[in-house]
Amino acid sequence: MTLTSVVPLHARALLTGVPVDPDAETARRWAEEELLDPIYHQRPSLLERLLDWISQQLSDLEIAVRDVDPRMAALIVASVVVVGVAVALVVAGPVRSSRRAARASTDVFGDDTRSAAELRASADALARDGQWSLAVLDRFRAILRSLEDRALLDPRPGRTAHEAAEDASLRLPTCAADLRTAGRLFDDVCYGDAEATPEQDAWLRELDERVAATRPAAVASAAATDRLEVPR
């Protein structure tokens, strides 16, 4: 990632040679407007301190550059804005990642009672319209509904994508890795962190067919273990 890819338009203009001569008050306003973006509110306390630091630096610079050439003063002031915004973006990225890792998975079905066939038909129709994210969600639901129809998953209200993928993996170990990946994809798309692609929809379609053709593995029951006789 380059510096120009993470700085605001007004700061990027300076870097690309477009004349920009902001005074200290204008530069401070740029920084405040940039940091009002919701992306920076993932960790308010840290970013508030960053904004205070930028304001303090601009106030100090306003005094320090009074006798400096105006264009040089503008360059110094804008550089402070660029550095501050770049730091804020670097901070915001790990915060989003850590919160995404800590969040709960999403309820797959909610009040949706459609059959596997209806869910597949819906996914196909959505894909034809180019609504890939909605198509991916319904296609994952269709996989799970088909497993319920085969009695490989028990119908359970409130089951999350993560729980469903883990439960299905026990019965279909040869598909386990892909089922877990599909569960993560469902959560990412459902939370709005990702936009699904045609390739992901095609992959889920293939996974649906593979799951349907896979024979389940026997799962040892706790009851069977309890019935073992203790040697006398």
Side-chain angles (χ1 to χ4, degrees):
M1 180 181 292
T2 63
L3 182 60
T4 56
S5 68
V6 298
V7 298
L9 181 61
H10 39 262
R12 195 181 309 162
L14 179 65
L15 297 178
T16 54
V18 179
V20 178
D21 295 313
D23 55 24
E25 183 60 33
T26 300
R28 183 185 295 108
R29 178 170 52 82
W30 284 354
E32 291 173 346
E33 289 174 355
E34 185 67 23
L35 291 175
L36 285 176
D37 192 298
I39 190 175
Y40 300 122
H41 294 281
Q42 301 294 333
R43 291 187 60 183
S45 59
L46 178 60
L47 292 170
E48 284 173 357
R49 290 198 298 272
L50 176 60
L51 181 57
D52 290 341
W53 177 84
I54 292 175
S55 297
Q56 183 60 50
Q57 298 305 309
L58 291 172
S59 297
D60 293 344
L61 281 172
E62 186 175 8
I63 298 173
V65 300
R66 283 176 178 170
D67 298 328
V68 179
D69 177 76
R71 295 190 64 83
M72 179 60 69
L75 178 61
I76 294 172
V77 170
S79 297
V80 172
V81 175
V82 169
V83 171
V85 172
V87 170
L89 284 168
V90 169
V91 169
V95 170
R96 287 198 307 272
S97 298
S98 63
R99 290 202 171 186
R100 185 164 53 247
R103 74 188 178 198
S105 184
T106 308
D107 182 354
V108 175
F109 289 113
D111 297 327
D112 194 335
T113 59
R114 288 176 293 173
S115 67
E118 289 172 332
L119 287 163
R120 290 188 184 105
S122 174
D124 290 342
L126 290 165
R128 285 193 297 270
D129 290 341
Q131 300 185 59
W132 303 112
S133 292
L134 294 177
V136 159
L137 296 180
D138 271 357
R139 214 171 290 286
F140 182 72
R141 293 186 182 108
I143 293 174
L144 300 186
R145 190 70 83 198
S146 69
L147 292 175
E148 290 180 355
D149 293 342
R150 296 167 62 189
L152 299 182
L153 284 180
D154 59 303
R156 186 194 307 164
R159 177 185 263 128
T160 67
H162 173 75
E163 291 169 343
E166 290 299 320
D167 292 344
S169 296
L170 295 176
R171 300 307 306 271
L172 302 174
T174 59
C175 300
D178 286 337
L179 286 167
R180 292 187 178 102
T181 299
R184 288 192 295 270
L185 174 61
F186 181 93
D187 279 337
D188 286 344
V189 171
C190 198
Y191 270 99
D193 292 331
E195 289 288 333
T197 65
E199 292 76 18
Q200 288 169 326
D201 179 66
W203 174 76
L204 271 177
R205 186 196 301 269
E206 185 274 333
L207 178 60
D208 187 12
E209 295 172 353
R210 184 151 44 90
V211 165
T214 301
R215 293 173 61 87
V219 178
S221 67
T225 302
D226 292 340
R227 287 197 297 270
L228 291 176
E229 295 184 2
V230 177
R232 296 182 179 178

